[in-house]
Amino acid sequence: MPAKIPATIVTGFLGSGKTTLIRHMLQNANGKRIALIINEFGDLGVDGDILKGCGEEVCSKDDIVELSNGCICCTVADDFIPTMEALLARTPAPDHIVIETSGLALPQPLVRAFNWPGISTRVTVDSVVTVVDGRAVQDGQFAHNIAAVDAQRAADDNLDHETPLSELFEDQIACADMIVVNKTDLLTAEEAENLATRLRADSRDGVQVVKTSMGALPVDVLLGQGIGAEGDLESRHEIHHHHHHDDDEDDHDDDDDHHHHDHGHDEFESFIVTRDEVSDAGAFAAQVSAVIKSNNILRLKGFVAVAGKPMRMTLQAVGPRVDTYFDQPFGDTPRQTRLVVIGEAGLNQSAITAALQA
């Protein structure tokens, strides 16, 4: 029987650095063919496009699947299983599958799904990796931008909306095989070590806690852990049942589980702003930060055309923190700046558009 394909589940709150971690992994994959499943929040598939810029030889566009119809651990039968079956049917099959969950999708139900008939004989959960924003956790906030996390939670009808973030964080830690303390560049060496020590004490025996900044974790540390997490569900049980799942693994009917939710997507909105090239990348990043602060924007991300630069600039902002880097040439794509803005309903779209186009 062929060896099972390993799958890594990457979880963590919005803004913790999951996409950055995965992008670094792809850029340093050393020929390993990796398939991605991305479960993101928002209408514009920027996270997918960011990862698609990592090179055809590592991860072709056909190897990246985006699921944006809610939390995949709540839609296992409808979304996740068919997606896995399609990836497994590809020739050649991927060497490794990486699943980036949305920021509030708890990993336990997703791990449980790997025991599904037809999947269990072909794929195994190599490990569950929980990425934490070191600065935010050190400050007792768990996420850099609490409002953005709350917006993400309220926008997904499949998620519990009332549980404190501290308890959701505990569940992510409870399921982790590796905890990545990210953004250690924003901590002192003593703070980083003390936080790592605390997280080790709060997690299961044997869980690795690693420190990094910008998600720069060696691929041979991140992948190939060989945990087989789907066979070890008892030790990583949910502390808090936020998704209201039936505990019976054989009951896969989710249709009746979530009728109690009363939050709708109309409480939040997103829209796209386009503009021509910018002349100064640094100045534009500062401009974006100012627009975010003055308009209560929760998240902003996209691609920027910078005059004189053949590469497009990726821009991601969670709260007022703006990160940029150049990822790939524009090629045949128009040299245009394209950004998605996410915030609570009632954003002054015309004012924000004018400010970003100024």
Side-chain angles (χ1 to χ4, degrees):
M1 178 181 292
K4 292 183 181 181
I5 297 173
T8 297
I9 298 172
V10 180
T11 189
F13 285 160
L14 177 71
S16 62
K18 300 188 299 296
T19 299
T20 303
L21 177 84
I22 293 171
R23 188 175 191 280
H24 181 272
M25 174 197 70
L26 292 179
Q27 291 176 325
N28 297 274
N30 299 320
K32 186 186 294 289
R33 189 173 183 86
I34 298 172
L36 299 175
I37 299 176
I38 306 166
N39 189 206
E40 67 168 11
F41 171 72
D43 296 327
L44 181 64
V46 170
D47 284 350
D49 279 348
I50 289 170
L51 295 169
K52 287 170 187 172
C54 292
E56 182 81 13
E57 70 282 358
V58 173
C59 186
S60 73
K61 292 183 179 181
D62 290 337
D63 288 326
I64 298 180
V65 182
E66 294 176 74
L67 302 175
S68 56
N69 297 320
C71 165
I72 55 175
C73 68
C74 292
T75 57
V76 166
D78 293 336
D79 293 325
F80 178 65
I81 297 301
T83 296
M84 288 292 292
E85 290 172 341
L87 285 178
L88 294 172
R90 289 182 55 76
T91 303
D95 298 320
H96 204 109
I97 298 171
V98 174
I99 304 165
E100 179 189 353
T101 71
S102 65
L104 291 161
L106 298 181
Q108 287 90 343
L110 188 53
V111 174
R112 193 175 296 122
F114 280 82
N115 288 311
W116 190 286
I119 300 296
S120 62
T121 58
R122 304 180 66 190
V123 188
T124 182
V125 181
D126 185 61
S127 68
V128 177
V129 177
T130 296
V131 184
V132 304
D133 182 329
R135 181 71 266 169
V137 176
Q138 177 69 17
D139 293 340
Q141 296 186 131
F142 305 103
H144 172 66
N145 188 329
I146 299 297
V149 174
D150 285 341
Q152 183 187 30
R153 175 158 46 171
D156 192 334
D157 289 341
N158 289 325
L159 295 173
D160 179 289
H161 302 147
E162 307 301 331
T163 305
L165 286 185
S166 59
E167 295 185 8
L168 295 170
F169 181 79
E170 288 175 16
D171 272 337
Q172 292 183 349
I173 296 300
C175 195
D177 297 297
M178 172 179 285
I179 301 170
V180 178
V181 181
N182 198 24
K183 306 184 183 181
T184 55
D185 52 317
L186 304 179
L187 298 169
T188 66
E190 183 179 9
E191 285 176 328
E193 186 54 41
N194 287 343
L195 177 56
T197 299
R198 175 157 59 90
L199 290 170
R200 286 189 190 98
D202 292 342
S203 57
R204 293 174 294 114
D205 290 342
V207 172
Q208 293 181 304
V209 180
V210 296
K211 296 173 289 185
T212 188
S213 61
M214 295 302 294
L217 199 65
V219 174
D220 56 359
V221 172
L222 182 63
L223 304 183
Q225 296 186 49
I227 301 294
E230 72 279 10
D232 180 33
L233 288 164
E234 184 60 33
S235 69
R236 59 184 79 225
H237 64 87
E238 295 104 319
I239 302 169
H240 313 280
H241 294 275
H242 312 292
H243 288 63
H244 307 278
H245 283 286
D246 192 313
D247 287 337
D248 182 1
E249 289 178 23
D250 295 325
D251 181 3
H252 302 294
D253 184 2
D254 294 322
D255 292 342
D256 297 324
D257 289 347
H258 306 297
H259 290 170
H260 62 282
H261 294 294
D262 57 3
H263 289 270
H265 290 265
D266 57 355
E267 293 185 5
F268 300 90
E269 61 182 288
S270 64
F271 61 96
I272 296 170
V273 176
T274 59
R275 61 165 291 165
D276 294 331
E277 292 183 340
V278 303
S279 58
D280 186 318
F284 184 66
Q287 177 182 339
V288 167
S289 181
V291 173
I292 289 172
K293 290 177 182 177
S294 60
N295 290 276
N296 197 31
I297 295 169
L298 300 175
R299 193 175 188 190
L300 189 153
K301 57 183 181 177
F303 307 107
V304 182
V306 181
K309 301 288 187 181
M311 307 280 281
R312 69 181 186 182
M313 184 176 78
T314 295
L315 183 149
Q316 299 188 82
V318 179
R321 186 187 300 165
V322 179
D323 297 316
T324 62
Y325 58 87
F326 291 93
D327 73 336
Q328 67 175 352
F330 277 91
D332 296 332
T333 306
R335 289 185 58 85
Q336 184 183 57
T337 296
R338 183 176 171 86
L339 305 169
V340 61
V341 180
I342 302 171
E344 295 183 9
L347 290 174
N348 189 333
Q349 294 193 17
S350 59
I352 293 171
T353 300
L356 291 173
Q357 291 177 338

